Amino acid sequence: FPFPYTPYLIQEQFMAALYGALEAGCVGIFESPTGTGKSLSLICGALSWLRDFEEKKQQEEARLLALEEGGQEGKKLLTSVEPGHPASKDTAGEPDWVTAFVQKKEERDMVDKLKEEQMRRKKREDHLEKIRHNVQLKYTAKRKRAEEDETRLLLQLSKEVLSEGAGVDVLEKLDHNDEELILAEYESDEEKKVVSGLEEDDDDLEEEHVTKIYYCSRTHSQLSQFVREVQKSPFGKDTRLVSLASRQNLCVNEEVRRLGALQIINDRCMEMQKNKHEKKSDEEKAGQKRRASRTTTTTCPFYSYEQMQFLRDEVLVEVKDIEQLVALGRETKACPYYGSRYAIPAAQLVVLPYQMLLHEPTRSAAGIKLKDQVVIIDEAHNLIDTITCIHSAEVSGSQLCCAHSQLLQYMERYRKRLKAKNLMYIKQILYMLERFVAVLGGNVNQNPSCQAVSQTGTVLKSINDFLFQSQIDNINLFKVQRYCEKSLISRKLFGFVERYGGPATAVKTNKENQKLAGLQNFLLTLQQGSDKEGDRPPVEAENEQLRAASPLMQIEGFLSALTNANQDGRVILNRQGTVGQSSLKFLLLNPAVHFAKVVEECRAVVIAGGTMQPVADFREQLLSCAGVDPARVVEFSCGHVIPPENILPIVLCSGPSNQQLEFTYQTRDRPQMMDETGRILCNLCNVVPGGVVCFFPSYDYEKQVYAHWEKTGLLTRLAAKKKVFQEPKKASQVEQVLVEYAKCIKRCSQAGGQMTGALLLSVVGGKMSEGINFSDELGRCVIMVGMPYPNIKSPELQEKMAWLDKTMPRAAGQAPSRALIENLCMKAVNQSIGRAIRHQKDFASILLLDRRYGSTAVLSKLPAWIRERTQVKATFGSAFAELRKVRTCILPHA
């Protein structure tokens, strides 16, 4: 395997196993701890396979073509002999020559197809080669763009001069803005037999998809990091790589970017394109008359086919990450979002976020075809949760009421202008919204935040029961969903509310707006009603996001979730205090149904991560449910590159005052347990240099312990040795806390003296337990307080457990629901403790404070490289001695 430096042995094993899995078309579960160069192994292993695969394919083609050449000679000889024979009859009653002809024809077709493919490939390679070397081409493209800009500017100026002269009537303008808000005539599929010009355009773009690797990860920063690794690797020069992302990340049209919320950006973009296509056909029809003036304002200057072709080629010639792609888009005045999508068919490696690959509608919209391709899902430790999240949806009572109110006003205002089909669907949606609010125990025409709910609590229903109870089982949800998609109704509604509903416009009340001013106040009370708790600012920010997108968009998500199969999901009716605070949530129970499509279509799927233990979850809940043959599943797990003495994992069963450590819900609130935890930390902070990270099972418990230590004075003792930091609940503040934490550790190590570093109190599953590295001095000791079991009382978890017990076989005498709880707990633990060791020379101790960690069942769920070195200590003294030993033997070398 080509590699930028000498690989570790485990990297070689990893690459060999990966190559084997791809060659055999398996579904692989690969675990390689962080700090062992997993990304590079994935890149070099997978791309080596792809290169060999392409070579084999070309050799095979060459062989067939050579045969064909030879065959031409042979055929001539044959035909000269043939006429002498009477046509002998075949068994099927066909003469020989017919059968032979059919066979020959198949061979010939095959050969023609190969020739065509070869020509296509050759053409593409030459084209890219030309771009690589020919700088001239780039400049012509640039010059052409500059000229176009110039003309556009002149046109604009002359228009402005004209309009000043004419003093255009302001009212007329307003009306023609209203045009945009009115729904276009809608025809359902049965009526639509004609193919519009738009789709013909797209057909020209249909290109053969070459065999490729789709690589997905969770966040854009992880993807950018991966692309940088590819650039460094031996394949960096000659791999055709495309990065895909949402419009929010790739849009270069400032006017659209400013809209902020993803859903609105999407809709606005689609609308601009629609205008562009309409404009083409309008201009042909109406000799560029009146309509053209309206559409020029709303087409996107970056959506130009030539420029996007140019961008596409640039992308394929040289590996670029998202930032570079956006910069290139700005420079070339081409849309990176569409440009990168045009590059998919010819690319060899496509890098994209989870959601794009796992959510089928998004997948097909992006033009991703999985047939016979390879998919690698990295950072996949919570793949099951991710799929569940992508396909679950929640709407609150205030959103339902708000959408109903907006849609009703919209219908009233444009009733005369809307066609019958539109009115029918709008009425259906209004009826559904009304029924949903009724199910929550409210009335759609009253203010949701003033209506108290009589029976509070949470009820779970199957999809069908929910549809019956809401009395909407007679509505075809699939049709309504299609209507929402095609008519862009939520976008139009958003535009309507933006124009007539914003607090700013409420002041200029004329006759028209008097009704709407009422709507205003109503909407304002909705927004305030939902966050009365006095803790406004944090809630505000989250509400902003929801408020920014029209509530109908959220509801569309919920409606499409209801089209899942009855047994695969549940609807949760959550009735709280008022109707506004209550909500409807769709919960997906069987993520395998959505994953099955990926596994079926792909040639091979690889699920990789730093900590994949316990693997049973993936095998049972995802793969066997998705109908994957167990023989097709391969597992690979490798150790770590650090020497064994660099890590010291200890399970501690009792504290310094012999208090037994078992943090169950019943015992963990006792003062003596909290005191004991504090004493352990005080002792550790005395001997451990640098940073100590302590994980608590939940924010609430962390707060409670912190308050207790403040009261008893333990906090002051801790603060004498290490500055104490707490993990913030707001994502926006995490970065700042980490920077302070790192600065403090650096300062202490340079200054010497009393303070030896810092102590960070974090939460399992919080912001710090994933994706943030505590390498070297930042994490010399990681402490886990108790076992972070999920909240068993949550109705969603209970439903999932019941569903598992019903559908899964018992494994090793344990009920599947029990296994789920344990696995969720241990996954969280593994994620958190894996943060400490990040490279070959790193060292750290890991302390698990709870005697339950000592049981073999729990130990077996730790990653192998930690498990092999774990010591279970009954008393604090012996554990403390080990920790001091680490300090004495490693520090001199470090």
Side-chain angles (χ1 to χ4, degrees), residues 826-860:
M826 290 312 290
K827 267 205 172 64
V829 171
N830 293 341
Q831 262 317 301
S832 305
I833 60 180
R835 301 273 132 230
I837 301 277
R838 300 320 260 185
H839 58 85
Q840 198 177 6
K841 298 195 167 54
D842 207 351
F843 65 92
S845 44
I846 294 170
L847 223 62
L848 304 171
L849 307 187
D850 200 309
R851 64 190 201 103
R852 293 173 292 175
Y853 283 113
S855 75
T856 34
V858 174
L859 278 176
S860 71

Side-chain angles (χ1 to χ4, degrees), residues 35 382 631 661:
N382 41 17
L661 298 178

Side-chain angles (χ1 to χ4, degrees), residues 207-240:
E207 244 186 291
E208 190 77 24
H209 278 242
V210 302
T211 301
K212 59 174 68 49
I213 296 166
Y214 286 101
Y215 170 89
C216 27
S217 193
R218 280 243 317 278
T219 60
H220 284 293
S221 57
Q222 284 166 338
L223 292 172
S224 287
Q225 204 178 337
F226 178 79
V227 174
R228 283 194 288 279
E229 293 274 351
V230 175
Q231 288 166 334
K232 281 190 298 198
S233 80
F235 294 94
K237 286 281 171 285
D238 50 351
T239 298
R240 301 191 295 276

Side-chain angles (χ1 to χ4, degrees), residues 401 437 441-453 576-580:
C401 290
V437 176
N443 177 345
V444 87
N445 300 317
Q446 293 169 4
N447 185 337
S449 47
C450 303
Q451 300 180 57
V453 175
Q576 302 288 317
T578 67
V579 173

Side-chain angles (χ1 to χ4, degrees), residues 569-584:
R570 297 283 178 276
V571 179
I572 302 171
L573 313 180
N574 190 8
R575 301 191 179 104
Q576 302 288 317
T578 67
V579 173
Q581 292 163 342
S582 305
S583 66
L584 295 174

Side-chain angles (χ1 to χ4, degrees), residues 360-430:
E360 204 182 4
T362 316
R363 194 163 66 225
S364 52
I368 295 169
K369 299 199 167 99
L370 292 182
K371 190 90 189 88
D372 297 332
Q373 307 295 23
V374 170
V375 167
I376 297 177
I377 302 176
D378 198 3
E379 299 298 332
H381 49 268
N382 41 17
L383 179 62
I384 297 178
D385 297 345
T386 305
I387 299 177
T388 307
C389 271
I390 293 175
H391 297 92
S392 298
E394 183 167 19
V395 288
S396 69
S398 55
Q399 281 172 331
L400 291 166
C401 290
C402 183
H404 185 277
S405 157
Q406 290 176 4
L407 195 56
L408 197 60
Q409 309 252 359
Y410 176 84
M411 186 174 81
E412 292 305 324
R413 182 179 175 110
Y414 299 118
R415 178 172 287 240
K416 297 191 182 59
R417 311 279 301 272
L418 292 170
K419 300 282 187 289
K421 254 288 168 14
N422 277 317
L423 281 172
M424 178 191 92
Y425 277 112
I426 291 181
K427 282 180 176 161
Q428 277 193 343
I429 297 171
L430 284 170

Side-chain angles (χ1 to χ4, degrees), residues 332-348:
T332 58
K333 296 263 186 304
C335 172
Y337 178 74
Y338 283 100
S340 59
R341 282 172 33 167
Y342 285 141
I344 296 176
Q348 293 164 310

Side-chain angles (χ1 to χ4, degrees), residues 71-227:
Q72 295 281 328
E73 312 297 304
K75 260 187 219 156
K76 283 177 193 154
L77 294 172
L78 267 174
T79 39
S80 57
V81 191
E82 221 153 84
H85 296 284
S88 59
K89 288 285 183 191
D90 185 85
T91 44
E94 280 183 2
D96 276 357
W97 61 272
V98 174
T99 324
F101 176 76
V102 172
Q103 270 176 342
K104 283 271 172 353
K105 178 156 172 25
E106 281 170 6
E107 275 169 31
R108 250 201 321 276
D109 288 350
M110 171 91 176
V111 169
D112 290 345
K113 199 171 146 203
L114 289 178
K115 276 188 182 156
E116 201 178 306
E117 213 171 274
Q118 256 185 344
M119 272 179 50
R120 237 199 238 129
R121 190 170 54 233
K122 183 111 187 62
K123 202 162 117 191
R124 184 173 61 228
E125 279 163 8
D126 293 347
H127 182 57
L128 292 179
E129 210 38 52
K130 205 159 84 189
I131 294 175
R132 263 204 190 94
H133 299 305
N134 190 351
V135 188
Q136 197 66 46
L137 267 178
K138 288 191 187 178
Y139 286 110
T140 26
K142 254 195 184 148
R143 203 175 54 239
K144 189 165 161 237
R145 271 198 307 282
E147 283 167 12
E148 278 176 8
D149 283 358
E150 195 78 357
T151 356
R152 197 177 296 132
L153 202 71
L154 284 171
L155 261 173
Q156 181 111 24
L157 284 171
S158 54
K159 259 191 202 143
E160 277 168 18
V161 171
L162 276 174
S163 66
E164 275 167 22
V168 183
D169 198 286
V170 185
L171 264 176
E172 205 177 325
K173 268 192 185 163
L174 243 178
D175 264 354
H176 116 160
N177 278 345
D178 261 6
E179 289 284 322
E180 295 171 23
L181 298 179
I182 291 168
L183 289 162
E185 193 163 346
Y186 180 73
E187 301 156 333
S188 58
D189 298 342
E190 295 95 66
E191 301 160 28
K192 209 192 264 170
K193 293 284 188 284
V194 252
V195 180
S196 64
L198 177 74
E199 279 147 44
E200 285 165 23
D201 279 7
D202 285 0
D203 274 348
D204 308 341
L205 314 177
E206 261 317 303
E207 244 186 291
E208 190 77 24
H209 278 242
V210 302
T211 301
K212 59 174 68 49
I213 296 166
Y214 286 101
Y215 170 89
C216 27
S217 193
R218 280 243 317 278
T219 60
H220 284 293
S221 57
Q222 284 166 338
L223 292 172
S224 287
Q225 204 178 337
F226 178 79
V227 174

